[in-house]
């Protein structure tokens, strides 16, 4: 009796379900809107912020898909995504610092409310920002930058956890080459 064979490709490619992808994509949408409103379109910063946000999203997706044939590449692209989002985080921190705007602590009431709302769309974020404006009387640019920084911190934390899970999976199950070797050995032993 022949044993059922494992699929040739490793599981992967479900990046749209990853919370890290969802938050990074929201950060990308928010960043595109933010630079339209608050950053000189002719500046290098405008392009850098947009590209760093885009890179975070794209590398999560690419890593998830490429992980079907290379756990090493998946882990590398997860690191690239994290690095891109860290770069973007620095741009938002610089924006606040260079304009003498407040950098809010994580326990700021508006940021606590942001986390509680589990915002997932640009419209949700705009509604949160409007409510925060009434509560804090801070400039919209300060509110938006601090809110996006909070979301970036969440995305980076999720990518750290994702990377740790990828490492544990590799340690337990190996990579694609080991998987292929196992599939081949099972095929050979089943044909005898």
């Amino acid at each position: 009796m022949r044993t059922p064979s494992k699929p040739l490709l490793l599981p992967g490619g479900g990046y749209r379900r990853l919370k890290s992808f969802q938050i990074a994509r929201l950060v990308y949408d928010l960043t595109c809107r933010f630079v339209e409103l608050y950053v000189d379109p002719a500046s290098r910063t405008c392009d850098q912020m947009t590209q760093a946000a885009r890179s975070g999203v794209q590398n999560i997706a690419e890593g998830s898909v490429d992980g079907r044939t290379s756990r090493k590449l998946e882990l590398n692209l997860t690191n690239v995504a994290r690095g891109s989002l860290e770069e973007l985080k620095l741009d938002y921190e610089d924006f606040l610092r260079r304009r003498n705007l407040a950098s809010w602590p994580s326990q700021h009431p508006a940021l606590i409310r942001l986390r509680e709302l589990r915002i997932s769309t640009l419209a949700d974020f705009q509604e949160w920002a409007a409510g925060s404006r009434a509560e804090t009387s801070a400039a919209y640019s300060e509110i938006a930058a601090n809110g996006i920084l909070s979301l970036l911190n969440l995305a980076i934390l999720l990518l750290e956890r994702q990377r740790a899970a990828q490492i544990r999976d590799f340690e337990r199950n190996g990579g694609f080459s080991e998987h292929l070797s196992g599939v081949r050995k099972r095929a050979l032993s089943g044909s005898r």
Side-chain angles (χ1 to χ4, degrees):
M1 182 163 146
R2 187 168 179 206
T3 59
S5 64
K6 284 188 171 184
L8 187 60
L9 295 179
L10 296 169
Y15 61 89
R16 291 182 187 276
R17 293 186 310 272
L18 292 172
K19 195 69 176 167
S20 61
F21 175 82
Q22 294 166 7
I23 299 296
R25 187 168 56 180
L26 175 59
V27 165
Y28 172 70
D29 292 344
L30 291 168
T31 297
C32 288
R33 183 74 176 132
F34 185 91
V35 298
E36 286 174 13
L37 294 173
Y38 304 116
V39 179
D40 177 4
S43 73
R44 180 137 166 76
T45 302
C46 180
D47 182 54
Q48 285 290 110
M49 289 179 76
T50 303
Q51 290 307 313
R54 181 183 181 280
S55 177
V57 176
Q58 299 301 104
N59 281 292
I60 294 168
E62 186 178 350
S64 179
V65 172
D66 288 354
R68 298 193 74 198
T69 58
S70 174
R71 293 299 190 205
K72 179 180 175 184
L73 189 52
E74 178 183 34
L75 185 57
N76 183 49
L77 289 168
T78 300
N79 281 325
V80 172
R82 192 210 176 285
S84 294
L85 295 182
E86 191 68 40
E87 177 184 335
L88 182 60
K89 184 177 163 183
L90 289 172
D91 285 329
Y92 278 105
E93 289 170 353
D94 288 346
F95 177 89
L96 291 168
R97 182 179 45 77
R98 296 198 65 216
R99 287 162 182 79
N100 292 316
L101 298 171
S103 179
W104 298 350
S106 64
Q107 293 307 309
H108 188 285
L111 295 181
I112 291 171
R113 193 165 54 83
L114 174 73
R115 290 189 298 271
E116 288 171 351
L117 291 170
R118 297 184 184 265
I119 287 173
S120 61
T121 67
L122 181 60
D124 291 344
F125 187 87
Q126 289 170 327
E127 187 177 322
W128 167 81
S132 297
R133 173 87 166 145
E135 292 171 9
T136 66
S137 72
Y140 276 116
S141 59
E142 179 181 316
I143 294 167
N146 279 288
I148 296 167
L149 275 166
S150 183
L151 292 171
L152 274 165
N153 285 330
L154 175 58
I156 289 167
L157 173 68
L158 292 169
L159 285 171
E160 291 283 343
R161 290 179 182 169
Q162 189 173 322
R163 182 172 59 185
Q166 290 167 347
I167 290 168
R168 282 191 307 275
D169 181 60
F170 181 79
E171 288 170 346
R172 272 190 233 115
N173 303 312
F176 186 63
S177 296
E178 292 165 306
H179 175 71
L180 283 178
S181 178
V183 168
R184 178 77 175 133
K185 284 178 185 174
R186 282 188 294 280
L188 289 173
S189 68
S191 65
R192 291 184 185 152

